[in-house]
Amino acid sequence: MAEKSTDKKKQVPASERTTCEATRQMLEKARRDGVILDLDRGYDMKPCPIGAESACCKHCYMGPCRINPRDPYKKVGVCGATIDTISARNFGRNVATGSASHNDHGRHILELFRSVIENKTKDFSIEDTQKLERVATSIGIEVEGREVYDVAKELCDELEKTFSNVDGEMPFVKRVPEATLELWRRDGIVPRGAMIEVMELMSRTHIGCDQDYTNLITQISRTALADGWGGSMVATELSDIMFGTPSPTLADVNMGVLKEDHVNIIVHGHEPAMFEGMLAAVQDSFYVEEAKSKGAKGINLVGMCCSGAEMMSRHGVPHAGNFGSTEAVIVTGAVDAMVVDIQCIKQGLAEVAKCYDTHLITTNPRCRIEGATHIEFHEHEPRTCTDQILTKAIARYGTRKMPVEIPKQIQSGVHGFTHEYIEYMLGGTFRGSYSPLNDNIINGRIRGVAGVVGCTNPKVQQDSVHVPLVRELIKNDVLVLQTGCSQIALAKAGLLTPEAAPLAGPGLAEVCETVGMPPVLGLGSCVDNTRILIAASAMVKAGGLGNSIADLPAAGCAPEWMSEKALAIGQYFVASGVFTVFGVGFPTIKETKFHDLLFNGLENQGYGKWGTGKDPMEIARMMIAHIDKKRKELGIDKARERVLVDMSDRRDIA
Ligand code: NFS
């Protein structure tokens, strides 16, 4: 084995690292095998306390400067930068990176869309023409009496501006409720194009440039909005157009989706094209026969993380687990190939894959990993890549050396909700509308709406905040919308089924039972958070719940976040008007002016605000209190005859 075991004396029981039984089983096996996983590395790592508070500046070489705002001699950096400037710059650069990641993804999807329209890519097509028309209409493109490819061409040219505009306003801000957009215009934060926003934020955070945190926040918000209403939204909408808009689909989640007697291929990453290519390739009878000739019963394609969530939503492809399980799943010995593209792919996978004789295959020129095999994926000839992957995976099955141990956990649930489907489901077949949802909020059956999203983080016992938080929210009649790794955590816990309705409070349960929907709606990957933005806009436009997104009885949370993308998402929700709570911790110092701006000041200016907490019950209370505050401001607090469910009621429901 390539890695030595961690110090056994220091090891905590595997069950303290994760609440996911399958992952616990694999962590224990890894320890027995002498292989160190991220879940243990996270425990062993003692993060730098100065870095954790973002009180370190390394943007020039006069330092790095370690700031302690409580110590008069360490109050400012060598250049005189204050803690507020330093925290704002660090936070800004996090947001710039997160926004750049989503925009890079979105721009790539746009390139694929263009090559489909120009007929340079023949393996993909326009799958959903209705969606094409809806998206085009939403940004003012005429569709009546026009050819599909004509509309698509104009949409493509228009959406290109999301990235390349240097002035004006991004196309999708046309979807923003008027009062919210007016606020952005007042403060000069309507995003122009993603490239210029990221460039300007990077330039303004250079040594000796923008040194007023109140001015920096405007560009930080603008860059974040260029993600949510820009690249991420382009990625979601064009993916729906090319690969099909999801609708509720039954799918299995957790490591039990692996099959000992099949060739197992896991795909994980973020861009759907390669995964779509794999899905087509595994159905090729030639490879199925090849697999059979090696003694396998077939080929089993499963997903993980965000592209896994996307493929599960669109096609019901089984899902093996979230970010906290990507190394652990390889320990099963059953993974013949793990195929990755971009983002959230741990370098540690290479070492674990080596230990278990699994092929780790990178496919994207923007993400290669030392020690992995690189087989580049090109959209215009997907089979060149996918066929090589299949050949390797089948050969590995035929010569499996590692003992196979697959955890039994498997949970079926309904995935693939969208803002369109919510409209249809609650509004009826003939005239989809958000009014019934608003009515149920106004009459108090549904207390409010929460988005619970984001990563897992080895600093926190895996899934231990996601699951109880969501359970507490639904118990209190809060409808929960989910994406990404959080959705997978709740799917594993069995809450993405209509049968989970009794776990909800009486009002929400009644709505769920009437409509036949789960109290927790899974919307897909992290870029699909934009489905939540569009749903929020639709709620404002349907009427009765105020004029801007900030008026809605709604809140968001990333309880186990870890990535810069999560910070960009959080900031675009805050700038759009949503109270957003982050678990784990937050990279600011509480007593500073910049922290106060994020956690209070922005709300006073008409935006949402940040919150932070570690305990799921504490986070739930914060979110529910905010929802109740908004209900009061809307004058609909009296309509809700039910009070907050207390501890004894909770026990009754549980
Ligand atoms: Ni989003 Fe975090 Fe990654 Fe997806 Fe999972 S870790 S910010 S949820 S896979 S992007």
Side-chain angles (χ1 to χ4, degrees), residues 183-185 187-191 217-219 221-222 225 575 607:
L183 176 71
W184 297 356
R185 288 187 178 134
D187 293 344
I189 63 163
V190 184
I217 193 68
T218 57
Q219 187 55 26
S221 290
R222 207 178 199 186
L225 292 171
Y607 297 99

Side-chain angles (χ1 to χ4, degrees), residues 102 268-270 305-307 322-323 343-344 453-456 483-486 525-526 529 562-563 565-566 569:
H102 286 138
H268 112 72
H270 282 77
C305 286
C306 265
S307 56
N322 58 18
F323 183 70
Q343 298 176 15
C344 303
V453 305
C455 333
T456 64
T483 62
C485 291
S486 188
S525 66
C526 242
N529 282 323
M562 61 89 198
S563 76
K565 289 183 294 174
I569 293 167

Side-chain angles (χ1 to χ4, degrees), residues 93 96-97 99-100 163 165-166 192-206 209 219 223 226:
R93 287 204 170 186
T97 309
S99 180
F163 311 100
N165 253 5
V166 291
R192 297 157 289 182
M195 293 191 202
I196 198 161
E197 303 313 352
V198 172
M199 182 173 75
E200 186 174 318
L201 184 51
M202 292 306 284
S203 134
R204 278 166 66 168
T205 50
H206 190 274
C209 196
Q219 187 55 26
T223 307

Side-chain angles (χ1 to χ4, degrees), residues 583-604:
V584 189
F586 200 84
T588 51
I589 296 178
K590 209 172 172 196
E591 302 81 25
T592 58
K593 289 183 282 183
F594 181 61
H595 179 93
D596 187 56
L597 176 65
L598 295 181
F599 284 68
N600 295 305
L602 288 176
E603 188 179 42
N604 298 334

Side-chain angles (χ1 to χ4, degrees), residues 153-272:
K153 171 82 176 58
E154 189 176 342
L155 179 65
C156 189
D157 290 342
E158 196 55 30
L159 291 185
E160 176 96 55
K161 295 178 188 164
T162 305
F163 311 100
S164 59
N165 253 5
V166 291
D167 53 24
E169 297 181 348
M170 262 183 190
F172 278 142
V173 302
K174 292 192 180 73
R175 296 169 152 193
V176 178
E178 222 161 295
T180 306
L181 187 55
E182 274 317 307
L183 176 71
W184 297 356
R185 288 187 178 134
R186 180 196 77 187
D187 293 344
I189 63 163
V190 184
R192 297 157 289 182
M195 293 191 202
I196 198 161
E197 303 313 352
V198 172
M199 182 173 75
E200 186 174 318
L201 184 51
M202 292 306 284
S203 134
R204 278 166 66 168
T205 50
H206 190 274
I207 154 81
C209 196
D210 202 348
Q211 287 154 113
D212 179 342
Y213 70 99
T214 61
N215 197 45
L216 265 168
I217 193 68
T218 57
Q219 187 55 26
I220 294 171
S221 290
R222 207 178 199 186
T223 307
L225 292 171
D227 173 350
W229 298 90
S232 281
M233 201 172 276
V234 169
T236 293
E237 301 296 61
L238 293 186
S239 297
D240 281 358
I241 292 170
M242 288 188 286
F243 310 123
T245 306
S247 61
T249 310
L250 207 58
D252 290 333
V253 173
N254 215 339
M255 290 189 202
V257 300
L258 295 176
K259 295 177 182 164
E260 182 160 5
D261 53 8
H262 279 61
V263 176
N264 291 302
I265 301 177
I266 293 181
V267 180
H268 112 72
H270 282 77
E271 295 198 337

